[in-house]
Amino acid sequence: MKRASYFFIIAFIIGLALHQAWCCDVPVFRYALERWPADNFMILLCHSGELTPEQKEVADSLQKASFDETGFNFEMQRLDVAAIDKADLKLTVDGAEPPALPYLVIRYPRIINGGTVLETGPLTMDYVRSLVDSPVRRDIARLILEGNTAVWVFLDSGDPSKDDAAFEQVQAQIEKLKNTVRLPDSSDVTEADTIELNDPQNTLRIDFSCIRVSRDDPKERFLVEQLLCSEGDLKEYPEPMLFPIFGRGRILYALVGAGITEDNMLEAAQFITGPCTCIIKDDNPGVDLLMSINWDNALETLMVQDRAMPLPFGLYEVVADASQDASQISDISKDVDLYSIDSPKKNKSLFRNLFIGAIVVLIINTIFLVTLIRRKRN
């Protein structure tokens, strides 16, 4: 066994322990909506010298719609190509000739493919409007804000018979998912959880919608481009595709052609509705859409709230509640109730501590065995 395999095993064990110990009752889709800011695209305005009044008007309108002004998830920079060294600055799609100046370069967020170029386009008002907004993107945002768990975007292949059959299958499966997928069980919440769901009116629900998009729809040209570029090889497949979108416009991944199955849709839905493990957004699958919406302002109700950190292991039993009256602390009957071995809180804490302690021992033993094997081989 190679050394890398040992580290993989150790990492897997640690990840499993953390997942079991820190899962909570907040589903991924709700945590993503409230706590995962959409990644910012970069739009570069490449020009040489001064812009005409018409061009300046378009550039100013784009600047006003950028993240600094509105909170939309793109940033804009002006780039005078005559005043910079372009040798190390990629300003076109691979293999493409740059358009006539001035033109716009749309780059992925830096976290995706190192911020490579998505496409280039002219500095016109029509192009800018199609770039930052479209009817389907507005519908996606509206449905998510209305409480939809996720929006499934079905992208036609162009073959009507193939597309119609696949779309009918998707609609039938979505109806099944509404009745089979469940929210995380609040009974699994432990004292180690750092967040919890605050939904006293029980408004959070499982609900899915589906939107069908044609690849030839001129109003959705840039949306189609983003969908097809969300993974490296999607443009190679002339097949119908399905994209589950959740949170702040995050594409989980693509289901393509024969891969649009009940099992694959269920797997995607279970991830989106599963318990959040409070890990970093970038450690999760998916890429964000460029959308003209300020999610922070649009969210009317926040359900995810932070919890007070628990006491270090073993101190719960010896530290009394600071707000408890001194006479209550001295009351033997209350002391017995608080520290009794039958106390549910203590049992849960004890079980959690034993579980994590066992995992720690297992990790230490694994590291010891790895070290011993390596010494013997040497």
Side-chain angles (χ1 to χ4, degrees):
M1 184 182 292
K2 297 181 180 179
R3 180 173 59 181
S5 299
Y6 295 126
F7 289 110
F8 175 81
I9 293 173
I10 295 171
F12 175 79
I13 293 172
I14 295 174
L16 179 62
L18 292 176
H19 180 272
Q20 294 294 330
W22 280 278
C23 280
C24 60
D25 65 339
V26 180
V28 169
F29 72 89
R30 188 67 199 187
Y31 189 87
L33 180 59
E34 294 191 23
R35 299 292 183 93
W36 286 355
D39 295 326
N40 280 346
F41 288 71
M42 175 61 70
I43 299 179
L44 298 176
L45 168 54
C46 298
H47 65 96
S48 180
E50 295 294 325
L51 299 174
T52 66
E54 294 78 9
Q55 293 169 345
K56 188 175 185 302
E57 180 183 358
V58 177
D60 290 344
S61 67
L62 186 60
Q63 184 72 61
K64 290 179 181 178
S66 67
F67 179 80
D68 292 337
E69 299 288 338
T70 63
F72 300 164
N73 66 319
F74 71 87
E75 303 173 40
M76 179 189 170
Q77 290 184 7
R78 301 173 189 241
L79 194 64
D80 190 338
V81 296
I84 64 166
D85 182 4
K86 297 185 292 182
D88 297 325
L89 185 61
K90 189 172 179 57
L91 299 177
T92 59
V93 181
D94 288 336
E97 291 293 326
L101 292 171
Y103 66 93
L104 298 172
V105 179
I106 297 84
R107 300 173 69 97
Y108 284 106
R110 293 183 180 89
I111 198 66
I112 305 172
N113 301 326
T116 56
V117 177
L118 176 59
E119 71 168 36
T120 59
L123 182 62
T124 65
M125 192 63 74
D126 287 343
Y127 179 76
V128 167
R129 286 171 179 162
S130 67
L131 182 68
V132 301
D133 193 22
S134 69
V136 170
R137 278 179 281 177
R138 287 197 295 270
D139 286 342
I140 292 171
R142 175 181 57 79
L143 289 167
I144 289 175
L145 289 170
E146 287 177 354
N148 272 244
T149 306
V151 178
W152 302 79
V153 174
F154 181 89
L155 186 62
D156 285 348
S157 68
D159 183 338
S161 59
K162 185 187 297 185
D163 294 335
D164 291 344
F167 185 66
E168 184 177 348
Q169 174 188 348
V170 167
Q171 287 183 307
Q173 178 60 12
I174 285 177
E175 292 304 314
K176 289 184 180 180
L177 292 176
K178 292 179 182 180
N179 298 318
T180 56
V181 179
R182 295 287 180 265
L183 293 170
D185 189 351
S186 59
S187 65
D188 292 334
V189 179
T190 71
E191 295 172 6
D193 295 325
T194 59
I195 59 170
E196 62 184 347
L197 190 66
N198 180 22
D199 184 20
Q201 297 179 347
N202 296 319
T203 57
L204 197 62
R205 66 186 191 276
I206 299 295
D207 194 9
F208 297 103
S209 296
C210 187
I211 300 177
R212 187 170 179 174
V213 179
S214 169
R215 298 193 188 205
D216 299 325
D217 186 343
K219 295 181 180 179
E220 302 301 336
R221 183 201 60 78
F222 188 66
L223 171 63
V224 171
E225 186 70 11
Q226 289 186 84
L227 294 173
L228 292 176
C229 292
S230 62
E231 297 177 28
D233 58 350
L234 293 183
K235 289 187 176 182
E236 301 175 9
Y237 298 97
E239 301 288 339
M241 300 181 184
L242 187 64
F243 301 84
I245 299 176
F246 67 104
R248 300 188 175 191
R250 189 166 184 83
I251 307 168
L252 181 61
Y253 46 62
L255 302 179
V256 182
I260 304 177
T261 65
E262 291 188 10
D263 288 342
N264 287 340
M265 289 184 65
L266 177 60
E267 182 179 349
Q270 287 176 333
F271 172 82
I272 293 171
T273 60
C276 176
T277 53
C278 310
I279 56 180
I280 300 172
K281 172 189 175 184
D282 297 336
D283 292 337
N284 287 271
V287 295
D288 293 331
L289 290 172
L290 193 159
M291 302 179 69
S292 292
I293 178 171
N294 185 321
W295 293 97
D296 288 329
N297 290 344
L299 276 170
E300 296 180 354
T301 304
L302 299 180
M303 298 182 184
V304 181
Q305 65 180 15
D306 296 313
R307 298 180 66 187
M309 293 298 292
L311 293 171
F313 300 153
L315 290 184
Y316 177 82
E317 292 80 2
V318 297
V319 178
D321 186 356
S323 63
Q324 194 173 22
D325 186 80
S327 62
Q328 293 178 318
I329 297 177
S330 62
D331 189 328
I332 298 177
S333 64
K334 293 187 180 296
D335 288 344
V336 172
D337 181 65
L338 177 64
Y339 301 119
S340 171
I341 195 170
D342 296 326
S343 170
K345 287 187 177 181
K346 181 174 179 181
N347 285 341
K348 183 183 289 186
S349 177
L350 179 61
F351 176 79
R352 173 175 53 81
N353 292 348
L354 290 174
F355 174 79
I356 295 177
I359 293 297
V360 172
V361 172
L362 182 59
I363 292 172
I364 294 173
N365 288 339
T366 303
I367 296 173
F368 174 79
L369 289 175
V370 170
T371 305
L372 184 61
I373 292 172
R374 290 182 60 189
R375 285 181 178 178
K376 287 184 177 182
R377 288 183 175 179
N378 292 337

